[in-house]
Every structure is written in C-alpha cells, then in structure tokens.
C-alpha cells in the first residue's frame, strides 16, 4: 500500500504507475526510467522496454489486466485490410498507433500506451471521433506503424519528380500554436507535391485547382477550358499537411479551420511571376481548397485575342475612349468579365491618366493602376471606396461589381460628372442589364444619361486546330439552332471536336462570345419610357446588334468552335 501511495504521489506516467502497482517495477526504478526517457526525448514505454525491465508481451498483458482493456495480437492482423488514411500518418507515427476500424462515432485504436491522454485528444480532434484503445505489443506495433508510414511517403513520392524551383515571394508566417500542425508544413513530399500541382496546372492552361477531401478519398481536379478534370488522388494522410502548407504561403491562419478564408500567393514560373487566389472552405471531412490562377499576361492579350469581331471591337473601343460615361460588362461567374475589363484598362493605362479600381478582390496586378480591395470587416465597401475615389481626381474608375443601389447611384453620378466608369453586373444579356438597374431602383433618366455601352459575354471552348474535322449536321438542325437559309450556302463547313495528345477532348483554349450593345437615342427613349428588356432587345436587333446565339453561330461558321458548344453556353 505504501508503494502504491508513493507511486501515485510521484510524477510518473500512467504506464509507470500501473507497472509499480503490479509489482513489475519499483518506484525508484520507474523514476530513473522516466528521467532517462525525458532526457532522450522518448516515451516511457520505449524506455522501459529498451532497458530490458520487462518484455513487450509482459507489458501488454499487464496493462490489459490492470486497465481492463482488450488485448490484440497484431500477428493475426492483415495489414492490407486495415483502414487507410483515417488519421494522418505523421500523427500515427508520433503516438505509435494504428487504426483498426470504425463503428459509428467510435474509432478503435491499437496502441501500447492506453494512458496517453495527449494522443487521445489529438486523434479525437483530428477525426472528430471518440478513440477506444486496444492494447498490442509494442515491438509489433512499431514495425506496423513504420511500414504504414513508409508506404504513404512512397505513394506521395511516386506522384512527384525531383526538379522544381518554387519561390514564394511573400514572407511565410509561422504558426503560433504548436499543436495546429505547424511542424507539418515543411514536410518535403507535401511541399514538392504542391509545387508539382501548381506547375502542372499552369502547363495545362488550367484556371483553377480544386483540392477536395472526402470520407474515404482525397482528390485533386483542374478546371481546364471550363471543365473540371480529375488529375490525381493523393493519400488522404496529406490533406492536413497540404492545407497547412497552402495556408502558410497564402498568409492565412493555419490554426483556423472552422470558417472560410481567402488569401493570395505567388509562383515564379520561368521568367514570369504568376499570382494565385486561394479560398478555403470547411467541409465535413476537412478543408476544401480552391486555387485560382491569375495570369497578368491575360490582360495584355489584346481585344482581338479575346474573340471580338471587328464591329464589336470598334464599338467597345469607341465607348471606353470617350471622356465620360459608363460601360458595363455582364455575364455569369466564369464568363471572362474580369479579363475583358482588365484588357480595356490596359489599353487606357497611360502615363497621363489616373485610374482607380475597387474589387473583391483585385485579381490581376496592373502597374500604374491604383487598385483597392474591398474589406467589409473594416467598413471598406464598394460604395465607400467609390466616394473616396471621387476625391482622388480620377479619370477612369473601375468597380468590380455593382451589387446594390448605393454603389449604382455613386457610379452613375461619377459617370455623369466627367469620369469614365467601368463595371460588371450578373445578368443574362445586354438588354436585361438595363431593366436590372431599373429594378435596383436607379432612375431611368440616370441610366439613359450615363450608360453608353453594355457588353454581355460567354466563354466557349475553342476547337483544336490539329485534330478538328468537318461535321455533317442536318439542315433542319442548323436552322433550328439559329442559322438562316442565306447562311447555309456552300462557302463554309462546320467542324466537330475529335481529340489528340495536344488538346482536351478536341478543344484547346476558349474564345469569347459577345453581345456589344451601344445605348443609342432610340434605346434611350425606350429606357425613359420604362420599356422592358424585350423592347430594348428588339430595337438593338434592328440596329444590327447580334444576340449571344448569333454571335456564337458566327464562331461556328468561322470554324472556331462547335455548334454543340455554342448551344451549350447560349441556351438560356
């Protein structure tokens, strides 16, 4: 009894107290082993076994009897049938545990030290499950954990090559909490895997990378030419490390996993630097991360490269070079509005011009342009930034998006008082943009006196020039799609997608489809009389403005894209 009291009052670990109480160790011997374990930065179990004070089999049986915890012989377990990637491999190696299975919210863990509360809490936090111990012999456990950790590293190493030069230009902050995975972010295979994914995405001309955790698998997808394609399924064990690495170089809080975060990072790729916009989202099984590639060179391609026809280009160039007024670019998310706006800004960006933009967030850095990011938490909204711009002597103002009546009113007043204003709206086509502004509460007179041109746009996949072949469509199908009898002459032939090693299922890149509608006197009269979108669309058609379908069909006729693609992106 005295020995038990002495052991309980000491600073011995749970395993040490059990062994002292069972008569396997004296208090003095246990304390000496504990001091040795602390000096050599190892666990008490490893220390007592290394000293030969007890065998692994004796230790397992003693703990099982004393703590009433089931005992399992790992020799009878098939390693290939054990659940994979339930917990992080590094966590499993650190605490010497193996996952045996899961039932409901209980996670059955095999380990040699069931008194390790730190391991229980870390595993519980990482899996959101309740760990239940099964005792196993330490020597067999170490072999199984080492083999599992090695196989995970080998699986990840097989996905990457050895030649990378990744340079993050921003200073990388360090984690403040040692328990939040700060030590994982420098894991070499994970770092190199992320580098490979970014470089591969750039080479594949992807616009976005998706890192998606699920219950039993983890996948990476690229959005190439508007379509998501699965690229690989790395081991689930890397999902926390990968998220931490991305968040560190994006200057995000790696300890915060409960709310979405947004950040940026930069990669020096060859002779140019490419920005990436990072968005995290907590899901049921971990953080989904989407990285958008922001290539500054896309703003310098020129109007022709974006797919504007000559008449459309002339209308747009004539509008943005006027001294004042409002030009609106409309379309759904992912339709290329930002690139169109930045292309216009790049044309207007001259030494004698003061340009200010407010965006949420600024996607492309343009030297010579004063760019402001919206910060709602700090009270910096679109409307607040616009009011400040008007006191900054601007010539040209770009508003990332008109979302409310206050922003719309300030932007329109700026357009009426000698400023060129560029902005975007989420509407289906150009005529409905005007009725959308009226529905927001903007007075028809203000719309008619400020808006000078509206561009609606979509992005269609461009046919691969190496493998496209002529297609045979029935005449009835072409007429139904929107072609006229006069269009169906023998001077052109539609093409179809085939597919080759240099393209994506017959497509390579994308081309814009545009409806460029100037606000003429007749359209202004319709606005002032509170006419609807159908009245405006009919007048625009009479004035030679093609709708999106007609614009897309001209791309089919030119052999740039397919009829199926145009129908897909213009089928309102």
């Amino acid at each position: 009894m005295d020995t038990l009291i002495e052991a309980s009052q000491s600073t011995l670990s749970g395993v040490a107290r059990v062994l002292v109480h069972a008569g396997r160790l004296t208090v003095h011997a246990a304390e000496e082993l504990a001091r040795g374990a602390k000096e050599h930065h190892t666990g008490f179990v490893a220390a007592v076994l290394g000293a030969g004070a007890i065998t692994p089999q004796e230790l397992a049986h003693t703990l099982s009897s004393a703590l009433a915890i089931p005992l399992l012989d790992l020799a009878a377990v098939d390693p290939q049938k054990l659940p994979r990637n339930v917990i992080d491999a590094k966590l499993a190696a650190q605490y010497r545990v193996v996952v045996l299975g899961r039932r409901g919210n209980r996670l059955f863990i095999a380990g040699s030290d069931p008194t390790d509360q730190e391991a229980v809490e870390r595993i519980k936090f990482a899996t959101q499950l309740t760990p239940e111990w099964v005792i196993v012999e330490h020597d067999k456990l170490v072999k199984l954990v080492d083999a599992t950790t090695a196989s995970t590293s080998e699986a990840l190493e097989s996905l990457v090559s050895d030649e990378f030069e990744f340079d993050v230009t921003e200073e990388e902050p360090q984690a403040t909490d040692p328990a939040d995975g700060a030590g994982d972010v420098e894991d070499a295979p994970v770092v190199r895997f992320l580098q490979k994914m970014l470089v591969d995405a750039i080479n594949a001309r992807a616009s976005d990378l998706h890192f998606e955790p699920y219950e039993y698998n983890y996948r990476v997808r690229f959005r190439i030419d508007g379509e998501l394609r699965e690229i690989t399924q790395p081991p689930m064990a890397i999902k926390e490390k990968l998220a931490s690495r991305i968040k560190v170089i994006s200057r995000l809080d790696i300890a915060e996993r409960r709310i979405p975060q947004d950040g940026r990072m930069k990669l020096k790729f060859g002779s140019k630097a490419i920005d990436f916009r990072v968005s995290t989202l907590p899901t049921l099984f971990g953080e989904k991360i989407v990285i958008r590639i922001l290539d500054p060179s896309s703003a310098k391609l020129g109007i022709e490269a974006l797919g504007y026809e000559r008449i459309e280009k002339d209308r747009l160039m004539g509008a943005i070079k006027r001294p004042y007024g409002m030009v609106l670019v409309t379309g759904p998310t992912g339709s290329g509005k930002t690139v169109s706006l930045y292309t216009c800004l790049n044309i207007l960006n001259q030494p004698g011009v003061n340009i200010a933009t407010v965006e949420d967030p600024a996607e492309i850095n343009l030297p010579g342009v004063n760019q402001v990011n919206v910060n709602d938490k700090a009270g910096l909204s679109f409307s607040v930034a616009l009011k400040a711009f008007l006191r900054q002597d601007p010539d040209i103002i770009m508003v990332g998006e008109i979302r409310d009546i206050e922003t719309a009113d300030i932007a329109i007043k700026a357009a009426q008082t000698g400023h060129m204003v560029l902005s975007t709206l989420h509407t289906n086509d150009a005529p409905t943009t005007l009725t959308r502004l009226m529905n927001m509460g903007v007075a028809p007179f203000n719309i008619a006196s400020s808006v000078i041109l509206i561009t609606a746009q979509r992005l269609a996949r461009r046919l691969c020039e190496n493998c496209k072949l002529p297609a045979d469509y029935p005449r009835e199908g072409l007429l139904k799609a929107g072609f006229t009898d006069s269009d169906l002459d023998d001077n052109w032939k539609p093409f179809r997608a085939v597919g080759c090693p240099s393209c994506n299922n017959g497509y390579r890149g994308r081309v814009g489809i545009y409806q460029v509608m100037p606000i003429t006197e007749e359209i202004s009269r319709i606005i002032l009389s509170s006419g609807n979108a159908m009245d405006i669309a009919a007048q625009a058609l009479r004035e030679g403005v093609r709708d999106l379908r007609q614009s897309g069909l001209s791309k089919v006729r030119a052999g740039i894209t397919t009829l199926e693609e145009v129908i897909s992106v213009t089928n309102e």
Side-chain angles (χ1 to χ4, degrees), residues 91 94-95 113-126 131 133 178-179:
L91 189 65
Q94 179 181 354
Y95 294 105
D113 183 1
T115 66
D116 190 346
Q117 288 303 310
E118 181 182 340
V120 170
E121 293 303 320
R122 287 292 302 276
I123 294 170
K124 186 175 182 179
F125 177 77
W133 287 99

Side-chain angles (χ1 to χ4, degrees), residues 55 63 121 172 179 191 203-204 222 230 252 258 286 296 299 317 337 339 368 372 375 432 444 477 487 500 535 541:
T55 67
L63 292 174
E121 293 303 320
E172 297 185 6
V191 172
N203 288 331
F222 292 173
E230 183 172 315
L252 301 178
R258 300 164 298 174
M317 289 298 96
K337 299 187 298 297
V339 172
V372 175
N375 188 339
T432 56
D487 292 329
C500 68
D535 298 330
L541 185 61

Side-chain angles (χ1 to χ4, degrees), residues 320-326 353-354 389-390 393-397 410-422 449-450 452:
I320 65 172
K321 289 182 178 179
R322 289 172 61 173
Y324 58 86
M326 177 181 285
V353 179
N354 180 18
F389 285 172
L390 296 178
D393 186 30
D395 297 301
I396 299 167
I397 297 172
I410 300 170
I412 283 176
K413 288 176 182 175
Q416 291 172 333
T417 55
H419 305 91
M420 171 54 62
V421 179
L422 308 178
S449 62
S450 59
I452 58 176

Side-chain angles (χ1 to χ4, degrees), residues 198-322:
L198 293 175
V199 173
D200 285 355
I202 293 168
N203 288 331
R205 310 176 325 280
S207 60
D208 302 86
L209 298 84
H210 292 241
F211 298 88
E212 302 170 314
Y214 297 98
E215 186 172 11
Y216 300 112
N217 68 303
Y218 186 61
R219 70 177 178 180
V220 180
R221 294 192 291 174
F222 292 173
R223 187 176 293 280
I224 302 173
D225 296 336
E227 288 192 335
L228 278 172
R229 296 176 58 190
E230 183 172 315
I231 302 301
T232 184
Q233 289 197 13
M236 281 191 69
I238 76 163
K239 67 179 182 180
E240 299 296 340
K241 299 176 186 177
L242 188 60
S244 294
R245 175 64 182 171
I246 293 172
K247 288 162 77 173
V248 163
I249 61 179
S250 305
R251 305 185 67 81
L252 301 178
D253 184 358
I254 66 174
E256 181 56 78
R257 300 172 183 171
R258 300 164 298 174
I259 59 174
Q261 297 187 69
D262 294 304
R264 297 176 75 96
M265 61 186 183
K266 183 173 289 188
L267 168 66
K268 285 189 175 178
F269 186 66
S271 60
K272 65 179 181 178
I274 296 178
D275 289 313
F276 300 86
R277 190 178 73 194
V278 179
S279 173
T280 72
L281 179 69
T283 68
L284 288 177
F285 305 105
E287 286 183 288
K288 175 180 177 178
I289 298 178
V290 175
I291 301 177
R292 169 155 291 187
I293 301 174
L294 307 172
D295 187 356
S297 63
S298 62
K300 301 177 182 179
L301 294 175
I303 291 293
E304 294 82 0
L306 299 182
Y308 283 91
E309 302 290 344
R310 177 178 292 276
I311 188 170
E312 296 169 343
K313 180 192 74 170
D314 291 343
R315 287 172 180 165
L316 181 59
M317 289 298 96
I320 65 172
K321 289 182 178 179
R322 289 172 61 173

Side-chain angles (χ1 to χ4, degrees), residues 519-535:
I519 306 303
T520 61
E521 290 185 8
E522 288 301 322
I523 292 178
S524 294
R525 289 193 183 96
I526 296 174
I527 298 171
L528 291 171
S529 62
S530 299
N532 58 36
M534 294 179 63
D535 298 330

